[in-house]
Amino acid sequence: MKKTLVNWMYAALAGAAGMAMTTALLLERHHNSSSAQLAVIEAQVNQKTHELQRMVNRYEETLRLTATSISTYGQGQVNQTQFRTYVESLDLKKEFPGTLGMAFVRKVPVKDEAAFVKNMRMHEAPDFQIKFISPSSQDRFVIQYIEPLSENQQAQGLDLGSENSRRENSLNAFTRMGLSASRPITMIQNAHIGRQGFTMLMPVFRLPEPSKDLGLRYEELIGWIAFPMSIDRMVKPWLSQEPGLQARISMVENIAEPTLFFDNVDPSSITLHAHQGIRRNIQLGNRHWLLEFWPEKPQKAGLQPITWLTWILIGGLFGLLIAVWVKKQLDRRDAMLLQTELVNNSSEALIAEDTEGRILVWNRAAEELFGHDQASVLYEYERNLILPDELKASEKRLQQRAREGETLKNIETVRVNNADRVISLSMNLTPIYNNRKTLTGFTKSFRDITEDRRIWKDMHMLEELISYAPDGVLTLDHSRKIKFANPAAMLLLQDSEIKPTLVGLCITDLLAPDLRIDFENQVLNPLFNHGRVHVIFDWSTPENEAFQRLTFRGVSLSRSDTGESSWGLRFEKTNHSNTKHFNIL
């Protein structure tokens, strides 16, 4: 029986070794049969990828030169005639395939909208009007000029800022100070050839070298130079120069779900010849494009398809590598989400501002405290929303201290919510620096102390009442030091040398030294350990050995809102007959 078991083991090992050798030979022969075709396809793919990258780089450089020219020579002043002459000199259809034209997009603050439209109608286009994709209350990003106008009439006056994807693309270009390409969007002016397209934007500033500070840079922003693009017009001529290739192009924002926006690949090529697909990447401004190529006529392999077991092995290894990579990406994303959740779930209202006071972060607690939702306050000034006019000067002084590197804590201040109710607050103000130690903004945290101030007033009133009580009253902290003592307590506990205040003194320091241990055991320990005491004690000061008999009553005091604890003692003279002994009543 034992011999049979050993033989089975050897047989299994031999079979496994044979399977491994067979698999290795199969993979080697399969590789040799397809390597020649793969080399040819890869050379074609590399050439096409290089051509496409060079093409988009040329588009980017043209937009950059145009924006720089306007900043340097035009100082932001450009008119319809100048713009048309310049665009005609570029010969867009020949030199820039896929472009539907070139546009100048101007940033128009809401307050200047009426004057802008009036000026355009008076000097440029009598029928000019701003067109909104959806209602918007933010600054307008208006296509002021677009050429050739005859092919883009519908686009003139369009507010790119009135639609989320286009506005995001505009602000990305502004933030990056460079090219930004939008996601695939609906292009109004190319409906007759398919609506899928995208927009390439390059920001135009008043100065050739815009400010590093985000708030100042936004003030210097004039607008954008744009290429509205047709994906079909751009990609098909490029791909037609290599008839042996099929391609599909995706925009990669989420590695697990790339956005496909061009595809001329026969589905059978993907399903039957997936192993012959080749991937390449190009960069278009802020966008990452994934290019996938297949030969138009895939060569059939000289061998039968790889066995299912081999595919499981290869797929398992590939899946493991992808899983490790995706795990790292998900961990990074979860860390960012955790940071966001920590901010949003903070019990304190948290605000982050740039150096000009524009709001960049506004958490849920801030929404609840001030009544303004996050979307309505981003890029707005705090001083225009919640800061009372009478505090603007002092707030400016606090900001200046923070600019100088000081972190300000527990500053008592007030703000006004959206219902015009004044809120008493405790504020922390902290400067924010980048990795080059340059100031980029400030964080503010607010805690509502309206109720605390009401309690403080009540306690202050109570202290005034206690001050006139005939009995001695004092409060102690955990170290036996006096926090409060009324005038009666000062007279009862001291002899001829009356100190002006007892606050901050340890109560046992007022006793004759030989009585201190007794006082600890008889009065303080029961009070601190059990929270209550009622005892008679013969009190004597260090200066006078004569005793005066006092009745001490004490309780523990605590505040549930702050977690702070103190202990109160009330005492009075007594005629009780016991001497030098105490009674716990």
Side-chain angles (χ1 to χ4, degrees), residues 257-430:
E257 297 179 1
T259 303
L260 182 67
F261 63 86
F262 177 83
D263 187 2
N264 77 335
V265 180
D266 183 355
S268 64
S269 297
I270 300 175
T271 55
L272 300 178
H273 307 283
H275 60 286
Q276 295 188 28
I278 299 175
R279 290 186 171 191
R280 292 292 184 268
N281 301 289
I282 68 168
Q283 196 71 28
L284 179 56
N286 59 321
R287 298 294 179 188
H288 174 70
W289 284 9
L290 172 65
L291 313 180
E292 298 176 283
F293 297 89
W294 274 267
E296 248 184 27
K297 297 179 180 179
Q299 179 181 347
K300 293 184 179 180
L303 299 174
Q304 295 297 322
I306 299 177
T307 64
W308 63 269
L309 180 59
T310 304
W311 278 114
I312 290 177
L313 294 174
I314 295 174
L317 178 60
F318 185 72
L320 178 62
L321 295 175
I322 291 295
V324 170
W325 188 87
V326 170
K327 177 66 165 54
K328 291 181 179 179
Q329 300 302 313
L330 292 176
D331 286 345
R332 189 175 301 164
R333 185 203 65 178
D334 290 344
M336 295 180 66
L337 289 176
L338 177 61
Q339 292 178 7
T340 302
E341 285 300 309
L342 288 174
V343 170
N344 281 331
N345 293 328
S346 172
S347 60
E348 293 191 349
L350 299 178
I351 301 175
E353 304 173 355
D354 63 18
T355 54
E356 294 300 310
R358 292 186 185 88
I359 297 171
L360 305 177
V361 174
W362 184 274
N363 73 345
R364 294 193 188 104
E367 292 182 332
E368 295 171 1
L369 181 62
F370 299 119
H372 299 282
D373 63 90
Q374 184 188 61
S376 67
V377 301
L378 290 183
Y379 295 103
E380 297 292 337
Y381 292 95
E382 181 203 353
R383 59 178 177 266
N384 295 338
L385 292 174
I386 60 176
L387 184 64
D389 291 340
E390 61 270 17
L391 289 184
K392 289 183 178 180
S394 62
E395 186 75 10
K396 186 175 295 185
R397 289 193 294 269
L398 293 176
Q399 291 272 15
Q400 183 57 40
R401 290 170 61 185
R403 286 178 186 274
E404 295 170 357
E406 184 178 355
T407 296
L408 307 176
K409 294 184 178 181
N410 300 321
I411 304 297
E412 291 196 7
T413 184
V414 297
R415 291 295 187 270
V416 179
N417 67 8
N418 66 334
D420 291 331
R421 184 173 71 86
V422 177
I423 309 170
S424 296
L425 300 167
S426 175
M427 179 183 74
N428 295 331
L429 175 59
T430 306

Side-chain angles (χ1 to χ4, degrees), residues 137-157:
S137 61
Q138 303 183 74
D139 288 350
R140 316 305 191 198
F141 303 156
V142 182
I143 298 179
Q144 184 176 9
Y145 308 123
I146 185 167
E147 295 294 335
L149 184 59
S150 58
E151 299 176 16
N152 296 278
Q153 188 72 47
Q154 297 179 39
Q156 187 175 32

Side-chain angles (χ1 to χ4, degrees), residues 98-100 151-152 154-155 166 185-198 228-234:
T99 59
L100 300 176
E151 299 176 16
N152 296 278
Q154 297 179 39
R166 290 172 169 86
I185 55 176
T186 299
M187 304 301 293
I188 294 175
Q189 61 267 54
N190 68 342
H192 60 290
I193 60 170
R195 289 180 174 270
Q196 195 86 120
F198 65 98
M229 304 294 299
S230 165
I231 292 173
D232 287 346
R233 285 185 179 182
M234 177 183 178

